[in-house]
Amino acid sequence: MIDKKIEMSLDIIMGDRFAKYSKYIIQDRALPDVRDGLKPVQRRILYSMFKEGNLQSKAYRKSAKTVGNVIGNYHPHGDSSVYDAMVRMSQDWKYRVPLVDMQGNNGSIDNDPAAAMRYTEARLSAISELLLKDIDKETVLFSLNFDDTEYEPTVLPAAYPNLLVNGATGISAGYATDIPPHNLHEVIDATICRITNPDCSLEQLMEHMKGPDFPTGAIVEGKEGIEQAFKYGKGKVILRAVSTIEQTKTMNKICISEIPYEVNKAELVRKIDEIRFNRNIDGIIEVRDESDRDGLMIVIELKKEVSIENTLNYFYKNTDLQKNYNYNMVAIKDKRPNLMGLKDILDGYINHQIDVITKSTLFDLQKANRRKHIVAGLIKAISILDEVVALIRKSKDKGDAKNNLITKFDFSELQAEAIVMLQLYRLTNTDIVSLQNEDHDLDKQIVYLNAILDSDERLREEIINRLTAVKNTYKIPRLSIIKDEIKEIKIDEKAMILSEDINVSITRDGYIKRISNRSIKASEGSLIGKKEDDYLLKLIQMNTVESLLLFTNKGNYLYIPAHKIEEFKWKDIGKHVSYLVSIDSTEKIIEAIVVHDFSAPFYILMVSKFGQIKRTKLEDFEVTRYSKSLKCFGLKEHDEVISASLTNGNCAVLLSTYAGYTGMYSEQEVSIVGTKAAGIKALNVKDDHLIAANTFDPFANLSIMLFSENVGVKRLKLDDIQLCSRQAKGMTVYKNPKSKAIHLKDVIVCPIDTLLQVHTTEDVYRLVPKDYSNASLEQKPTSMTTNKTEVVHLVTTDIIQDTKLVKIETVAPTMKKNEHDSFKEEMERTLFTMLDD
């Protein structure tokens, strides 16, 4: 054993073994041969069926028998790999001309598996027998099988260019191939053109061979890609489904009758229905698969007001109703993988046919010469029949008779064998005539065969004649439509959205949901669903064609199309906004702004806690990709955004600080910058910070409502606030009591009859500014008393004590004067009575 050890380094061993493995799977497993267009397993299946007489003219045989023969004699691999290859060759949605005629369940275009091999039956298809034609005439090289007990062909004669007709796909070590199917008639015409004119151009070949012809039909776009593929072996084309439009009074229908090659129909229908279910686009009523034995049919029903073309374009872009097909024409030529164009593939096939026809002609010539020699001997024997019969009668046995004939009458071994085997009924004058006629026919055949062998032109004519016979026998129309230009897909996102008024809620922690009016009415009087410690930031009435901008405390914003928001019930928590736009878990939503038209001359004014302010054009916030949050404010360390508001360019800005200072100036004092820029100084807040920023029409009749941490409230007139510069500290509007420091919590600028909802640590209250008298700047705030508030939950005390202010919401629009007295009853009949903390 010591003498049998071989010491080698691991890298040499691995390199050597992998090289051998790679060579094997490249040449003998994954890639087709350019001559017959078959992989080894396919070739072995067809040859085994041919050898066993499992032909089109015979009855079907169990597939299991064929698989067993292939495995036992030629292909020592798993039965599933053999049966799968056999099934694929029988599927008319995979093969342009199926090579196996299978009876039983052989799968479906929905990717349903075929029945087990014990249930199905199969035989060679008529056209596949042409691949094996003349194989018994020594036309191809045979080699020993895996256990040296049988011979198998290394290639089939292939009476037509199967590689181009049925295409191929496969992956090996370092190589892959993707050759689409083409039309049999076009391929034969192109082959004949190449045989007739070996120097023909690619343009001349493409006059005959337009492009791929897929068994599932569909539309092929991109003549330039086809030309590139035919020239270099690589190119890209677009496959698009064939659809028709049906319009009725109540709805429109998209009817799809052909789909791209190798697309799973069931998966395609599921994907389209998923788009309907997820409301990625609006207006899809139903998606149905109406395919039957008469053909494929997918029906998509749309609402009447939906743009059909726009919806169809969306499906083309987001489903396999349209897909790319990349030519990668790699095949084995001269035992090596080669990337070949159309000319190379045709030349490889033509050279193979020249070799096959030459060998079959030689075989036929040898057979004809042998028969002519025998016929000559029989004619001679009949001319001296009496002497021949007498000699045979005197002979001891067959061998002695043959020797006597050879010795006395100078017959050859072959002729003597034929004479002694001659039947008595042939010994008539009539048979002399038939033998003479046969001899004459053999002379003609020998002349014809010699002419083929002696003339390259006659040899090529023979190839053309055989190809023409195949073309005339099998009438196969083109299925795929070739279009020169690739149609550009344009999707108008807004045109696909059904205009619908909706309700959207957004919480501070980023939970968002669409709520139907029905859900709101059904939940009247109950609290809105939310997480614990979270609170409702806004409940917005908007339209599906509008967009929502959500601003966070970290200086980012989220762009959300309204129609993308999923619908939930009133009591549901909803879904975190990260399912639409990725956002950091530490960020909090501080404002939500509805935008109908980004081109409108509006601005977004933002203010930070440490006294920075900036103004940006609304149009700068529009984006086409909104999968992640975007920067809108360049903040310094530890700073955060406290306010974002929509302005028209002529608004006043009121800034309030924690220590009770307020400054007011025009928004035009704030320069316009981009979304990623930092802000400028908003107010001098040294040793202080901003707690509120209000923008408003300076000419409107508004009041200022100040709220302290201990739920103190104070109303001021706008006229009491003096204008200042951005660098100023502002004026004092809130004075702390001497007993303890109490600071401002929030400041609201609003009309005097606006409903404000005040959230405290103990309860939720509602108040209206007009119920409070205007105070002077020096006057202290008063406590909120129940007789001056609309209270959601009744309290037992008249004055709120030992409680802290959490937040304040403006929950109702400006009311008319005569509506205020019955305010509570009115609000209970509106959406706003169900707002929760």
Side-chain angles (χ1 to χ4, degrees), residues 10 53 106 165 267 321 351 430 507 509 547 569-570 747 798:
L10 182 61
N106 68 332
V165 172
E267 183 65 20
L321 281 183
N351 291 335
T430 305
T507 71
D509 290 345
S547 300
K569 294 180 180 178
W570 175 263
V747 176
D798 291 334

Side-chain angles (χ1 to χ4, degrees), residues 656-725:
S656 305
T657 75
Y658 180 67
Y661 289 88
T662 295
M664 184 172 68
Y665 48 82
S666 170
E667 71 167 292
Q668 294 182 1
E669 296 289 323
V670 184
S671 55
I672 300 171
V673 294
T675 54
K676 295 181 181 179
I680 56 177
K681 180 179 275 192
L683 209 62
N684 188 351
V685 291
K686 186 177 180 181
D687 301 325
D688 195 2
H689 63 269
L690 294 175
I691 53 94
N694 289 271
T695 58
F696 51 90
D697 181 358
F699 301 104
N701 183 20
L702 304 172
S703 289
I704 303 174
M705 300 298 295
L706 286 74
F707 296 88
S708 64
E709 287 180 322
N710 67 337
V711 203
V713 61
K714 179 178 178 180
R715 177 185 170 193
L716 295 177
K717 293 188 296 184
L718 271 179
D719 295 342
D720 292 339
I721 308 299
Q722 298 178 359
L723 294 176
C724 68
S725 66

Side-chain angles (χ1 to χ4, degrees), residues 622-639:
E622 186 175 19
V623 293
T624 55
R625 295 183 179 181
Y626 43 85
S627 59
K628 61 180 181 179
S629 59
L630 302 165
K631 197 75 175 175
C632 65
F633 204 136
L635 296 173
K636 296 180 181 178
E637 190 176 1
H638 305 303
D639 198 3

Side-chain angles (χ1 to χ4, degrees), residues 520-534:
I520 291 175
K521 291 178 181 177
S523 305
E524 187 171 355
S526 62
L527 303 179
I528 193 169
K530 64 178 183 61
K531 285 182 65 179
E532 189 177 355
D533 299 329
D534 193 11

Side-chain angles (χ1 to χ4, degrees), residues 238-355:
I238 304 296
L239 306 186
R240 180 174 293 173
V242 174
S243 61
T244 55
I245 307 300
E246 294 182 9
Q247 297 184 341
T248 64
K249 292 182 179 179
T250 57
M251 69 177 70
N252 296 324
K253 292 182 181 179
I254 299 174
C255 301
I256 299 161
S257 56
E258 297 176 14
I259 60 176
Y261 183 55
E262 290 194 330
V263 167
N264 183 332
K265 173 170 67 65
E267 183 65 20
L268 174 63
V269 173
R270 187 197 65 78
K271 178 65 176 176
I272 297 174
D273 196 51
E274 192 177 81
I275 291 172
R276 177 199 63 80
F277 181 79
N278 293 336
R279 298 174 66 96
N280 294 343
I281 56 175
D282 290 323
I284 305 174
I285 300 173
E286 188 180 8
V287 181
R288 293 193 308 275
D289 184 0
E290 296 184 355
S291 304
D292 55 23
R293 66 180 62 187
D294 296 325
L296 182 145
M297 181 60 66
I298 301 171
V299 177
I300 306 169
E301 293 182 350
L302 305 175
K303 293 180 179 178
K304 192 68 177 176
E305 58 268 27
V306 173
S307 170
I308 303 174
E309 184 177 356
N310 217 26
T311 304
L312 194 54
N313 284 344
Y314 183 89
F315 289 142
Y316 284 146
K317 194 166 186 177
N318 294 278
T319 71
D320 281 340
L321 281 183
Q322 176 175 304
K323 62 180 290 189
N324 298 335
Y325 188 95
N326 294 290
Y327 273 84
N328 185 31
M329 299 202 291
V330 176
I332 301 296
K333 185 177 183 181
D334 300 328
K335 298 183 179 181
R336 297 177 62 87
N338 289 278
L339 179 66
M340 294 176 284
L342 179 59
K343 289 183 180 180
D344 294 331
I345 292 176
L346 292 177
D347 289 344
Y349 173 77
I350 292 169
N351 291 335
H352 175 56
Q353 283 305 295
I354 290 173
D355 187 49

Side-chain angles (χ1 to χ4, degrees), residues 567-750:
E567 186 170 312
F568 292 90
K569 294 180 180 178
W570 175 263
K571 293 183 180 180
D572 292 337
I573 295 175
K575 209 168 185 178
H576 195 267
V577 73
S578 58
Y579 85 95
L580 291 171
V581 182
S582 61
I583 180 175
D584 190 271
S585 59
T586 61
E587 291 190 71
K588 303 297 181 183
I589 308 297
I590 57 113
E591 186 57 77
I593 295 176
V594 177
V595 181
H596 180 74
D597 182 8
F598 279 92
S599 63
F602 293 121
Y603 306 88
I604 300 292
L605 188 138
M606 293 164 282
V607 179
S608 77
K609 181 178 180 179
F610 292 162
Q612 297 293 305
I613 190 170
K614 66 174 290 188
R615 188 164 60 122
T616 303
K617 289 182 179 179
L618 178 62
E619 63 186 26
D620 293 348
F621 289 85
E622 186 175 19
V623 293
T624 55
R625 295 183 179 181
Y626 43 85
S627 59
K628 61 180 181 179
S629 59
L630 302 165
K631 197 75 175 175
C632 65
F633 204 136
L635 296 173
K636 296 180 181 178
E637 190 176 1
H638 305 303
D639 198 3
E640 61 181 36
V641 180
I642 63 165
S643 171
S645 55
L646 186 68
T647 67
N648 60 10
N650 297 303
C651 289
V653 182
L654 182 72
L655 304 173
S656 305
T657 75
Y658 180 67
Y661 289 88
T662 295
M664 184 172 68
Y665 48 82
S666 170
E667 71 167 292
Q668 294 182 1
E669 296 289 323
V670 184
S671 55
I672 300 171
V673 294
T675 54
K676 295 181 181 179
I680 56 177
K681 180 179 275 192
L683 209 62
N684 188 351
V685 291
K686 186 177 180 181
D687 301 325
D688 195 2
H689 63 269
L690 294 175
I691 53 94
N694 289 271
T695 58
F696 51 90
D697 181 358
F699 301 104
N701 183 20
L702 304 172
S703 289
I704 303 174
M705 300 298 295
L706 286 74
F707 296 88
S708 64
E709 287 180 322
N710 67 337
V711 203
V713 61
K714 179 178 178 180
R715 177 185 170 193
L716 295 177
K717 293 188 296 184
L718 271 179
D719 295 342
D720 292 339
I721 308 299
Q722 298 178 359
L723 294 176
C724 68
S725 66
R726 289 189 297 104
Q727 290 77 19
K729 189 175 182 179
M731 58 187 298
T732 303
V733 293
Y734 180 88
K735 293 183 178 181
N736 283 312
K738 295 180 179 179
S739 58
K740 58 180 179 179
I742 299 176
H743 298 88
L744 273 182
K745 180 66 176 179
D746 205 352
V747 176
I748 305 291
V749 178
C750 59

